[in-house]
Each structure stands twice: as C-alpha cells, then as structure tokens.
Amino acid sequence: MTDQAFEPHDHGACISDGVAAVERICVERGLQLTKARARVLEILLSEHRAMGAYEILDVLRADGLASQPPVAYRALEFLTKNGFAHRIERLNAFIACSHLDGAHAPVFLICRVCNSVAEAQPDPARSEVDRVARSAGFAVERVVREAEGVCPNCARAA
Amino acid sequence: MTDQAFEPHDHGACISDGVAAVERICVERGLQLTKARARVLEILLSEHRAMGAYEILDVLRADGLASQPPVAYRALEFLTKNGFAHRIERLNAFIACSHLDGAHAPVFLICRVCNSVAEAQPDPARSEVDRVARSAGFAVERVVREAEGVCPNCARAA
DNA sequence: CGTGCTCCTGTGATTAGATAACATATCGTT
DNA sequence: AACGATATGTTATCTAATCACAGGAGCACG
C-alpha cells in the first residue's frame, strides 16, 4: 500500500504525471478531456487534500475562466464518473485519484490537522462492508470508506 | 447481525423502546434529554431512513416548536455526540441508532430505492479500514462506512 | 439572598454546497 | 446543409450548515 500524501515525493511530477496518465486513458476510451476538465484535474492534483467545489471555482475565477457553480460541478462529475477523482463524503469535497490503475474501492485517510487525504488500496477480498452487505442480502453499488484522524507526520509533530 | 430496517417488526415498540432506552442512558450518564432533543430523537425513530436536518425542522415546525436551523442542529449534535443517532455522510442526513448497546463502528446499508437505512454491526476485528490505517501509521478517530445499493426487499420487488 | 456559572434555548443573518432550467456552441456524421 | 450528440455559459434557486448574539433555567457558593 502506498500513501503518497503522507510521504515526501516529487510533487511537480505528481501533477504532470497525473495529467498525462489521464490524457492517455481518455484517448483510449474516447473521452474528451476538455480545457475546463483538465484544469480542474490539475487544480485537484496540485494538492494532496480534498477541495470543495467552490474553492476550485475560486481558482478557475482567478484564471479568468467561467466561474459559475455548474462549471465546477460538471467537470467534477466527469472526473469522478470516470475514476479520475473521488468525492470525499465526509468533507463534501473532492480529490484527484492517486491509483489510476484498475478498478478500486478505496479507503481514504483524512488528517484533521493538516487536511491531507491519502487514498489507500485495501485488499478487496477482506472488505467487511461487502461481507456485512452480503449477509444481509444487500446489493452494493457504491461503498464509502473514510477514516478521520491524525496522520503520522502530524502525530510526530505533536 | 440484525437488520431491523429490512425486516418486519413492531414499529411502535421501536419508537417507545428507543426513547426509553435513551432516557435510561441519559440518567446513568447525567445527560439532559431535553424536550427538543427527545422530540428530534422520536422523529428519527419514527422512520428507518435518514432524515435531513431541514426535514426534521419541518416536523418541529408542524409541532409548533421553534424551527430555526440551529434548533435541529443542536439536538442532532447532542444525539450524535452521545451515540443516540448517526450522521449518514453520503446523504447529509441523520438516523436514530439501532444498536444502543456498546461502542460501535457501524456499517450503514442505504437502499436507493426505498431509502431505508440499516445499521449493521460488523466484527470490529476484521475492519479493513483499521488495518489499512494502522499500516499507514494513521491514528483513526472516526470511521465512515456506508454502502449504497438495493435492499433485499426492493431487489425482490424488481 | 443574590451573584456568578454552566448549560440550554430563540432568532436573525450569513455562508457553503448543489442543482434546475434554458440558451448557445462545437464537432463529427450523413 | 441539417442533424444529433456533447459540452459550455449564465441566471436563479434550493438545500445544508454555521455564526453571532440575546435571553432563560437551574444550581452552587459565599
């Protein structure tokens, strides 16, 4: 398991690699990574934390782009629907996906001190949510798994 | 595991037993189950689904009680802080706790067809979220686990 | 007895998050 | 050129949540 958000890394590459990877996938799947969508993805990739739609909108506005709420929400819908970004329900906010390879049911670790969010890839076979749902005869379509707490860096600092 | 929400049961008892149990716990712990708080609990217990704060507020208003948003939010804060109700992040809504006994890290099963929400009690030892967090050195304070899908009753009906 | 403290309530205003509805544009296809 | 599908721009609206401040009930302590 990797937790990019909690470990030092080349963040410039983080952004450019992320955009490049999404571009490639869009070509493969015939998806249009338009200007607005690409810009929102970049904005999300520029931070390892979740950003609210209106916060993203502020950045777009500063760029001189259209800045009405639907602009951000449409881009975010595109990104989340295609797995390029995720919605963090606990925060009503969004974050770029950091595991573009393959289907996943991620677990998010949200640090309440530094606001960073790490996306972890747990073993799907061990999902307790799935196990519980199965035993209740419940057909799962989407799973939300988010933990809020203190990341190792902030714990060390305290 | 029990899934009251998905199974036939005496719902009148569901409400009265729920209120009685919370009353008892409040006495034990020296908590004040005031009029507003008790009423909101009742409202939540009256349905096996999550209700939005403003929806609760509408009921309070119909009762002739104070009906400004903070009234509902304060009662909900009391109820959730003490484990008498839970917030469903996915829905920005609230539901009465159906497992008052003991500390828990519940899993919620949200039916998108009939809107019912079941609270399941998984085996804590198997929590994949905890496992992942531990391996990242992340100190978990709160966990959100919610599955959205179709409940057995609605699946049968379709 | 009354002062101060803590906790709870009431209300108006504001901020944040999300969507509806409708008009316009762009691009590839036929 | 006409069409359909997809994406954009904008206004308005709705839902969710919080702030800020004033007032009240109950209790403890001097």
Side-chain angles (χ1 to χ4, degrees):
Chain A
M1 203 203 64
T2 65
D3 295 292
Q4 301 180 20
F6 300 155
E7 284 163 25
H9 61 282
D10 177 350
H11 190 54
C14 222
I15 301 177
S16 53
D17 290 1
V19 174
V22 169
E23 267 171 2
R24 187 163 23 78
I25 296 174
C26 283
V27 170
E28 280 172 17
R29 302 194 199 153
L31 299 172
Q32 305 185 43
L33 186 63
T34 62
K35 197 174 200 80
R37 293 168 177 177
R39 186 69 189 103
V40 170
L41 175 63
E42 253 180 48
I43 292 168
L44 288 179
L45 279 167
S46 73
E47 320 226 6
H48 284 296
R49 67 183 180 91
M51 297 181 73
Y54 280 67
E55 200 178 348
I56 291 167
L57 216 44
D58 287 341
V59 179
L60 291 177
R61 184 171 300 127
D63 286 1
L65 298 179
S67 57
Q68 300 307 313
V71 174
Y73 282 103
R74 283 169 187 156
L76 288 168
E77 190 193 347
F78 171 85
L79 294 173
T80 54
K81 205 169 59 180
N82 293 294
F84 304 143
H86 301 289
R87 181 184 167 80
I88 308 296
E89 300 293 340
R90 176 70 183 125
L91 305 176
N92 292 334
F94 302 83
I95 190 166
C97 177
S98 50
H99 295 277
L100 286 172
D101 42 326
H104 51 219
V107 168
F108 296 101
L109 305 178
I110 307 166
C111 178
R112 69 166 162 77
V113 178
C114 67
N115 291 310
S116 64
V117 176
E119 177 181 350
Q121 293 284 266
D123 180 346
R126 298 198 193 177
S127 168
E128 189 63 2
V129 174
D130 286 343
R131 220 184 58 78
V132 152
R134 205 173 313 121
S135 100
F138 187 93
V140 173
E141 290 168 356
R142 184 177 177 231
V143 174
V144 175
R145 288 191 290 182
E146 300 169 358
E148 204 173 9
V150 181
C151 77
N153 298 334
C154 292
R156 218 173 295 127
Chain B
M1 203 204 66
T2 64
D3 296 292
Q4 301 179 21
F6 299 155
E7 285 163 25
H9 61 284
D10 176 352
H11 191 52
C14 222
I15 301 178
S16 53
D17 291 0
V19 174
V22 170
E23 267 171 2
R24 187 162 26 76
I25 297 174
C26 283
V27 171
E28 280 175 23
R29 301 192 200 156
L31 299 172
Q32 304 185 43
L33 187 62
T34 63
K35 197 172 198 81
R37 291 167 179 178
R39 186 68 190 105
V40 170
L41 175 63
E42 253 181 48
I43 292 168
L44 289 178
L45 280 166
S46 74
E47 320 226 5
H48 285 296
R49 66 181 180 91
M51 297 181 73
Y54 281 68
E55 200 178 347
I56 291 168
L57 217 43
D58 287 342
V59 179
L60 291 178
R61 185 171 299 128
D63 286 0
L65 298 179
S67 58
Q68 300 305 313
V71 174
Y73 282 103
R74 284 169 188 156
L76 289 167
E77 190 192 347
F78 170 85
L79 294 172
T80 54
K81 204 168 61 181
N82 293 294
F84 305 143
H86 301 288
R87 181 185 167 79
I88 308 296
E89 299 294 341
R90 177 69 182 125
L91 304 176
N92 292 334
F94 301 84
I95 191 165
C97 177
S98 49
H99 295 276
L100 287 172
D101 44 324
H104 50 220
V107 168
F108 296 101
L109 305 177
I110 305 165
C111 178
R112 68 166 163 76
V113 178
C114 67
N115 291 311
S116 65
V117 175
E119 177 181 351
Q121 294 285 266
D123 179 349
R126 299 198 192 178
S127 168
E128 188 63 3
V129 174
D130 286 343
R131 219 184 59 78
V132 152
R134 206 174 311 124
S135 101
F138 186 93
V140 173
E141 290 169 353
R142 184 176 177 234
V143 174
V144 175
R145 289 191 289 182
E146 300 169 357
E148 203 173 9
V150 181
C151 77
N153 297 335
C154 291
R156 219 174 293 125

